[in-house]
C-alpha cells in the first residue's frame, strides 16, 4: 500500500489538471483521507472506487474547497487551491455534482440552473441554451418545481447546473446512487458524451463495474488511502478489485 | 360597527409595521442563520438617530430619512462580525447562541437609549413627520397620514422584497441558502458575502420601519424596542419560524387583533389577549400556522 504509487503509472502529459499530493484531511480526530495522491489530466474520465466511508466524497469535497487539508498540496491547472473558498474554485473551473444531487427541491428547474451560474451570470443565457440542447426534458420542465422531477431528471438537472458554471473539471459524486438500472446507463452515456465534448470528469462510484467501463483510469480508495491505481482495464482485470468491488 | 372599522384601520397600519419587522427578522434567520431577537431594538435606535438628526437640522425630513436608513444598514452590518464569529463553525454551533448575543445587544441598546438620550425621557417626533391632521374623518372613523404611510410603504416594501427574492440573483442565492446552506455552498454561493447582503437588506427594511414607527406613533421610548421584540418573535413562531408569507399574514392579524381589543375592551388588555390567542395557537400547532421553514 504505497501512498505514492498513484503517481507512478501516469501517461506522459506535462501537467495534470487536478493534482492532490499526499493530502490528509481530518474531521476532528478521524482522518478521512490519509496521504492521498491522485492526478486527473485534461480530457480524462477518472473514477474513484471504494466502499462507503472510504473517503471518496471527502476527496471530491476537498478538491472543491469544502475541507481544508491538514497537510499535502492540491493544485488545479498548476495553481495551489488547498483551502481556497469554494466560490473561487467554481469560478476557476472546478465543480461538483453532489451525492444525492443537491437539488433545491422548492425552487424551479430554471432557478436551479441559474444557481449554477451564480458566479458567471454573463454567460448564463448561452450556457442555458446548451444545457437545454443536451437535456431537452429540462427545457420542458423549466418552470416546474424541482421536487416534481424524477430521479433521473434530477441527476440531469444537477449535471446541467454544474455545466452552467462553465467548468473544466466536473466532479460527480455517486451518479448512479438511487437510480433504476436503465437510468444509470443513461447517466453514464451522458458522462461519456460530456467527456467527448471536452470536459474532464472525476467520478466516485460504488458501482465499480459500470464506472470502470466508462472511465480511462481509476483509483481504489480504502479507509482514506489510495490502495491501488491504474488504467480502467487494468483495474477491471485485477483479482483483488474483482473480488472486492465487482462481485466476481 | 364604526368602532370596529376604525380599529381595523388602526390595526392594519400597526400590522404593517409588525409584518415588516417579521420579514426582516425572518430574512436574517433564513440567510444569515441568526436569531436576531433584538432586531426591533436596533430599529428603535434608528428612530432615536432620526430624532437627533431632525433636531439638529431644523426638521429636515430628507436628512432625517437618510439618517434613519443609513444608520439602520450600518448598525446591521457592524453587528454582523459579532454573529459570524459565533457562527464560525455553523454546522456544529447551536443557532440559539446567536440569540443570546442578540439579546445582549438589545439590552445595551435599551440602556444607552434610556441614559444617553433626552435625559431618559421618551422622545417626541415633530408633526411634520407624524403628518398632522386626519385625511379622512367620518364619525369615529378617521385616517391619519401616518397610517397611510405605514400601509403604503408596507405594501411597496413587501412587494419590492418579494420581487428581489424571486427575480434577482441575490434573491435566488438567499432562497438557496434558506433551503440548504451546505448545498448552496457546494454550488459556489459564497455564504459569508450573501449573508452580509441579508444584513444590509434587513437594515434597509429596518430604516423604513423606524420612519414609519416615528410617523405612526409620533413618539418613542427606550422600552419600545423590547416590547416590540417580544411580539416579533412571537409572530414569527406562530407563523412558523422562517415562513415569510406566514409572517405577513400573522403580523397583519396581530395588529388588527390588538387594535380591535383596544377598541372594545381596554388598551391595557390588548397585549394579554393577543398573547393568550397566540398561546392557544402554538399549543394547537407547535410548528406554527404555516409551517417551519428552517
Amino acid at each position: 500500500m504505497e501512498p505514492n504509487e498513484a503517481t507512478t503509472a501516469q501517461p506522459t502529459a506535462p501537467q495534470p489538471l487536478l493534482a492532490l499530493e499526499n493530502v490528509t484531511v481530518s474531521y476532528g480526530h478521524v482522518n478521512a483521507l490519509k496521504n492521498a495522491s491522485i492526478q486527473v489530466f485534461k480530457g480524462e474520465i477518472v473514477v474513484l472506487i471504494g466502499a462507503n466511508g472510504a473517503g471518496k466524497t471527502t476527496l471530491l469535497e476537498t478538491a472543491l474547497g469544502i475541507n481544508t487539508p491538514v497537510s499535502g498540496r492540491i493544485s488545479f491547472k498548476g495553481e495551489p487551491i488547498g483551502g481556497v473558498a469554494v466560490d473561487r474554485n467554481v469560478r476557476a473551473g472546478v465543480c461538483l455534482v453532489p451525492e444525492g444531487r443537491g437539488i433545491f427541491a422548492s425552487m424551479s428547474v430554471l432557478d436551479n440552473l441559474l444557481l449554477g451560474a451564480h458566479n458567471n451570470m454573463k454567460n448564463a443565457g448561452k450556457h442555458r441554451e446548451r444545457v437545454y440542447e443536451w437535456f431537452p426534458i429540462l427545457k420542458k420542465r423549466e418552470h416546474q418545481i424541482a421536487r416534481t422531477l424524477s430521479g433521473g431528471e434530477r441527476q440531469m438537472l444537477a449535471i446541467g447546473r454544474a455545466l452552467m458554471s462553465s467548468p473544466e473539471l466536473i466532479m460527480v459524486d455517486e451518479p448512479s446512487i438511487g437510480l433504476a438500472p436503465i437510468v444509470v446507463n443513461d447517466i453514464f452515456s451522458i458522462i461519456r458524451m460530456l467527456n467527448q465534448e471536452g470536459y474532464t470528469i472525476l467520478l466516485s462510484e460504488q458501482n465499480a463495474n459500470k464506472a470502470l467501463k466508462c472511465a480511462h483510469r481509476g483509483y481504489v480508495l480504502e479507509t482514506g488511502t489510495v490502495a491501488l491505481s491504474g488504467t480502467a482495464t487494468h483495474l477491471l482485470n485485477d483479482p483483488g478489485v474483482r473480488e472486492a468491488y465487482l462481485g466476481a | 360597527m364604526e368602532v370596529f372599522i376604525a380599529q381595523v384601520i388602526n390595526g392594519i397600519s400597526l400590522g404593517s409595521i409588525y409584518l415588516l419587522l417579521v420579514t426582516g427578522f425572518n430574512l436574517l434567520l433564513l440567510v444569515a442563520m441568526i436569531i436576531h431577537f433584538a432586531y426591533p431594538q436596533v430599529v428603535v435606535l434608528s428612530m432615536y438617530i432620526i430624532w437627533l438628526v431632525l433636531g439638529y437640522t431644523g426638521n429636515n425630513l430628507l436628512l432625517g430619512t437618510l439618517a434613519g436608513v443609513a444608520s439602520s444598514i450600518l448598525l446591521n452590518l457592524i453587528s454582523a462580525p459579532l454573529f459570524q464569529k459565533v457562527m464560525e463553525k455553523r454546522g456544529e454551533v447551536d443557532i440559539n447562541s446567536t440569540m443570546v448575543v442578540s439579546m445582549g445587544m438589545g439590552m445595551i441598546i435599551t440602556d444607552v437609549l434610556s441614559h444617553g438620550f433626552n435625559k431618559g425621557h421618551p422622545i417626541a417626533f415633530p408633526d411634520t413627520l407624524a403628518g398632522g391632521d386626519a385625511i379622512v374623518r367620518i364619525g369615529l372613523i378617521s385616517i391619519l397620514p401616518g397610517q397611510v404611510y405605514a400601509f403604503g410603504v408596507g405594501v411597496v416594501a413587501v412587494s419590492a422584497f418579494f420581487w428581489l427574492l424571486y427575480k434577482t440573483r441575490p434573491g435566488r442565492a438567499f432562497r438557496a441558502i434558506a433551503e440548504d446552506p451546505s448545498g448552496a455552498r457546494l454550488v459556489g454561493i459564497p455564504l459569508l458575502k450573501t449573508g452580509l447582503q441579508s444584513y444590509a437588506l434587513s437594515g434597509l427594511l429596518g430604516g423604513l420601519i423606524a420612519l414609519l414607527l416615528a410617523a405612526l406613533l409620533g413618539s418613542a421610548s427606550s422600552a419600545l424596542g423590547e416590547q416590540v421584540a417580544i411580539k416579533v418573535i412571537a409572530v414569527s413562531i406562530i407563523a412558523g419560524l422562517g415562513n415569510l408569507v406566514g409572517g405577513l399574514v400573522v403580523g397583519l392579524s396581530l395588529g388588527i387583533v390588538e387594535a380591535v381589543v383596544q377598541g372594545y375592551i381596554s388598551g391595557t388588555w390588548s397585549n394579554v389577549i393577543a398573547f393568550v390567542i397566540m398561546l392557544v395557537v402554538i399549543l394547537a400547532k407547535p410548528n406554527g400556522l404555516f409551517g417551519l421553514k428552517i
Side-chain angles (χ1 to χ4, degrees):
Chain A
M1 229 199 261
E2 285 292 318
N4 278 330
E5 196 186 341
T7 52
T8 55
Q10 296 310 325
T12 49
Q15 186 188 58
L17 186 63
L18 175 76
L20 279 77
E21 294 167 48
N22 298 318
V23 170
T24 299
V25 174
S26 57
Y27 299 127
H29 295 294
V30 184
N31 281 351
L33 275 186
K34 280 171 266 177
N35 286 322
S37 297
I38 74 155
Q39 292 183 315
V40 180
F41 290 88
K42 196 163 172 48
E44 279 190 309
I45 300 179
V46 174
V47 62
L48 305 173
I49 297 166
N52 245 335
K56 304 188 298 294
T57 300
T58 302
L59 193 152
L60 297 182
E61 290 190 347
T62 305
L64 186 71
I66 295 281
N67 312 308
T68 306
V70 183
S71 62
R73 275 172 49 85
I74 308 173
S75 59
F76 181 68
K77 294 197 274 189
E79 299 284 318
I81 58 163
V84 166
V86 177
D87 55 300
R88 279 185 57 195
N89 284 333
V90 170
R91 240 178 273 245
V94 189
C95 73
L96 173 68
V97 179
E99 182 181 347
R101 345 283 181 232
I103 291 299
F104 295 92
S106 74
M107 296 170 73
S108 71
V109 167
L110 178 60
D111 274 340
N112 269 280
L113 288 176
L114 291 176
L115 279 173
H118 188 77
N119 297 303
N120 187 16
M121 285 306 278
K122 241 193 319 191
N123 299 315
K126 192 180 75 193
H127 289 311
R128 191 177 58 188
E129 287 318 308
R130 272 180 83 190
V131 169
Y132 286 162
E133 259 171 52
W134 286 335
F135 309 118
I137 189 76
L138 294 183
K139 187 177 172 65
K140 221 175 114 192
R141 306 243 188 275
E142 189 172 21
H143 297 294
Q144 261 174 254
I145 299 300
R147 183 179 292 115
T148 62
L149 300 187
S150 72
E153 289 166 354
R154 282 182 191 212
Q155 188 61 274
M156 286 182 212
L157 177 56
I159 293 172
R161 184 180 63 189
L163 293 169
M164 294 292 287
S165 66
S166 50
E168 282 182 59
L169 172 69
I170 306 176
M171 303 189 287
V172 194
D173 197 3
E174 304 276 3
S176 75
I177 210 161
L179 295 181
I182 188 162
V183 184
V184 172
N185 289 338
D186 288 347
I187 296 297
F188 278 112
S189 13
I190 287 170
I191 288 169
R192 267 195 300 271
M193 177 213 46
L194 290 177
N195 182 243
Q196 278 154 17
E197 293 283 339
Y199 295 101
T200 306
I201 314 260
L202 176 59
L203 285 178
S204 93
E205 255 304 339
Q206 291 191 52
N207 192 339
N209 189 25
K210 284 225 165 76
L212 283 171
K213 282 180 180 155
C214 154
H216 301 111
R217 287 190 307 116
Y219 293 87
V220 177
L221 286 181
E222 274 170 15
T223 59
T225 39
V226 175
L228 193 63
S229 70
T231 63
T233 349
H234 173 78
L235 291 177
L236 269 172
N237 294 319
D238 183 277
V241 172
R242 289 178 70 85
E243 192 183 337
Y245 302 104
L246 302 175
Chain B
M1 194 61 198
E2 266 185 40
V3 175
F4 184 76
I5 294 172
Q7 289 310 100
V8 168
I9 291 171
N10 286 338
I12 287 173
S13 48
L14 184 62
S16 305
I17 300 224
Y18 288 151
L19 67 83
L20 287 175
L21 280 166
V22 172
T23 303
F25 174 86
N26 276 336
L27 179 68
L28 287 172
L29 179 66
L30 292 168
V31 183
M33 290 176 276
I34 64 167
I35 299 186
H36 200 352
F37 182 81
Y39 175 61
Q41 273 141 308
V42 178
V43 170
V44 172
L45 178 52
S46 289
M47 288 176 77
Y48 272 71
I49 289 168
I50 295 172
W51 175 78
L52 271 184
V53 170
L54 288 178
Y56 279 119
T57 60
N59 295 339
N60 186 324
L61 281 185
L62 180 66
L63 285 180
T65 305
L66 287 177
V69 172
S71 66
S72 175
I73 294 176
L74 204 66
L75 285 166
N76 264 273
L77 283 177
I78 59 176
S79 66
L82 211 61
F83 288 111
Q84 295 317 127
K85 191 71 194 159
V86 176
M87 295 302 289
E88 213 162 45
K89 295 176 183 168
R90 75 179 69 223
E92 300 154 38
V93 169
D94 193 346
I95 187 169
N96 294 337
S97 53
T98 62
M99 187 159 87
V100 177
V101 173
S102 174
M103 286 169 95
M105 199 190 289
M107 283 180 206
I108 293 169
I109 290 175
T110 304
D111 267 17
V112 166
L113 294 184
S114 67
H115 293 102
F117 290 84
N118 206 23
K119 300 187 185 86
H121 299 303
I123 54 170
F125 290 94
D127 281 347
T128 42
L129 187 62
D133 288 340
I135 301 172
V136 180
R137 193 182 291 278
I138 310 163
L140 289 173
I141 304 169
S142 67
I143 301 178
L144 297 167
Q147 295 178 321
V148 177
Y149 299 150
F151 183 67
V153 174
V155 169
V156 171
V158 166
S159 316
F161 176 78
F162 276 85
W163 175 82
L164 187 142
L165 200 57
Y166 283 90
K167 298 287 177 203
T168 69
R169 173 176 174 267
R172 199 159 44 235
F174 287 168
R175 282 183 290 141
I177 292 178
E179 180 169 337
D180 177 4
S182 48
R185 187 163 172 235
L186 282 177
V187 297
I189 290 168
L191 293 189
L192 197 64
K193 195 176 138 204
T194 314
L196 280 179
Q197 290 171 342
S198 74
Y199 281 99
L201 181 59
S202 60
L204 172 64
L205 268 178
L208 292 176
I209 300 166
L211 282 165
L212 295 181
L213 270 173
L216 191 67
L217 303 177
S219 66
S221 68
S222 56
L224 177 65
E226 211 169 331
Q227 294 163 13
V228 178
I230 293 167
K231 287 180 191 169
V232 167
I233 200 162
V235 167
S236 184
I237 291 170
I238 297 295
L241 272 176
N243 194 317
L244 289 165
V245 176
L248 298 183
V249 177
V250 177
L252 191 63
S253 310
L254 176 67
I256 295 173
V257 167
E258 273 187 14
V260 169
V261 170
Q262 274 171 15
Y264 285 98
I265 307 171
S266 151
T268 49
W269 286 99
S270 70
N271 277 344
V272 176
I273 290 175
F275 274 96
V276 166
I277 293 174
M278 292 203 275
L279 201 64
V280 171
V281 171
I282 208 69
L283 285 172
K285 301 207 102 188
N287 286 339
L289 286 171
F290 296 82
L292 293 176
K293 284 284 162 105
I294 56 163

